[in-house]
Amino acid sequence: MIEYKNGNLLDVKEGVIIHGCNSKGVMGSGVALGIKRKYPECYNDYKHYCSNEPVALGLISWYKHNDFLWIANAITQETYGRDSNKRYVNYAAICSAFRQAVSFCISQGVSLNFPMIGAGLGGGDWVIISMLIQDCDPKNKVKKICWIHND
């Protein structure tokens, strides 16, 4: 089950923050831009991760901020853009990334925090995406929190 909370995802202090990224090493808008600004080392690691070789969809570039907070830069889009008629997010990539993140959260005993990943600039359908996320943890072993930013 996904719990919905009003507030800023970037205010989370512990657990895992997972957000969608492209495979090009660019964090130019949305939650990714917020991550880039608040956690510049996370961005540098992600950019380096994407520069080595072509990065497959569904992988995660992990960043450990401290002993309590990890950021999962999930490669859920090959490219990016602002065409509202195009879907940039790849649903299979979301499944792959969330399976990895759920497994990590179980091993660490922490919660999984995310925005409405892929449903904004990614052009995906949140109804579909939320079902895919839940399918990655069918026994509800991980607390999953979707943060709704409301400023």
Side-chain angles (χ1 to χ4, degrees):
M1 167 182 246
I2 296 173
E3 177 183 340
Y4 291 86
K5 285 191 176 180
N6 288 317
N8 188 340
L9 172 68
L10 299 183
D11 290 339
V12 169
K13 302 283 187 236
E14 59 184 46
V16 171
I17 293 174
I18 186 170
H19 70 110
C21 295
N22 59 70
S23 65
K24 306 299 182 196
V26 175
M27 288 185 173
S29 59
V31 172
L33 180 59
I35 294 283
K36 177 181 176 179
R37 288 178 175 156
K38 185 165 184 171
Y39 304 102
E41 285 301 316
C42 176
Y43 169 68
N44 290 337
D45 287 357
Y46 155 75
K47 188 175 177 181
H48 179 72
Y49 180 81
C50 292
S51 70
N52 287 332
E53 295 183 25
V55 179
L57 292 173
L59 296 180
I60 293 176
S61 167
W62 287 96
Y63 172 74
K64 183 176 181 179
H65 178 63
N66 58 37
D67 287 343
F68 307 102
L69 181 65
W70 296 265
I71 299 174
N73 302 301
I75 312 299
T76 58
Q77 299 180 191
E78 185 176 337
T79 188
Y80 55 92
R82 294 195 177 269
D83 182 350
S84 61
N85 296 317
K86 181 174 180 178
R87 179 167 55 91
Y88 294 95
V89 71
N90 181 290
Y91 292 148
I94 287 177
C95 291
S96 176
F98 268 83
R99 275 190 219 103
Q100 294 167 64
V102 164
S103 179
F104 180 84
C105 289
I106 290 170
S107 74
Q108 298 297 313
V110 297
S111 62
L112 185 58
N113 300 273
F114 47 90
M116 293 177 77
I117 188 168
L121 295 172
D125 182 328
W126 180 245
V127 172
I128 294 168
I129 294 167
S130 63
M131 287 188 289
L132 295 173
I133 291 169
Q134 191 55 48
D135 285 351
C136 293
D137 184 21
K139 294 184 179 179
N140 245 357
K141 292 185 175 185
V142 172
K143 183 175 185 176
K144 292 171 291 302
I145 305 167
C146 179
W147 290 86
I148 310 298
H149 196 253
N150 56 351
D151 13 355

